[in-house]
Amino acid sequence: MALTSGIVLYAVLWFLTFLMAIPIRLQTQGDVGEVVPGTHAGAPEHHNLKLKAKLTTLVAGVIWVVLFWIITTGVITVRDFDFNNVMSPLPVSDETGE
């Protein structure tokens, strides 16, 4: 995996994880009972974004390490998902390595 690919993979994982973490334990103005005039009752009152960003960084890092290991070792390849046999077979090498 190239450096750019690793950075892009981490960025996608981070944003995906962050967008899943935002609604967890979110308290809205309607939940608290103090709706500011001119705002929706579903507007966030307590969102804890700094804590969620820190946890997201850790979780995305762990997921990235697992995916990095899978990709670099070749445990799972693209050919594992070729259910219709669209891809050509891998070339077979002889004992000399050619």
Side-chain angles (χ1 to χ4, degrees), residues 46-62:
H46 304 291
H47 45 71
N48 301 320
L49 285 180
K50 285 185 181 179
L51 175 63
K52 290 179 183 179
K54 291 176 185 176
L55 290 174
T56 296
T57 303
L58 293 174
V59 170
V62 170

Side-chain angles (χ1 to χ4, degrees), residues 25-85:
R25 298 181 67 187
L26 177 72
Q27 291 183 342
T28 63
Q29 292 180 6
D31 294 339
V32 177
E34 300 175 5
V35 180
V36 177
T39 62
H40 192 274
E45 182 68 28
H46 304 291
H47 45 71
N48 301 320
L49 285 180
K50 285 185 181 179
L51 175 63
K52 290 179 183 179
K54 291 176 185 176
L55 290 174
T56 296
T57 303
L58 293 174
V59 170
V62 170
I63 296 171
W64 184 86
V65 166
V66 171
L67 288 176
F68 177 80
W69 178 78
I70 289 172
I71 291 169
T72 55
T73 60
V75 173
I76 299 174
T77 64
V78 175
R79 294 184 185 278
D80 294 332
F81 298 103
D82 183 23
F83 301 116
N84 295 329
N85 295 324

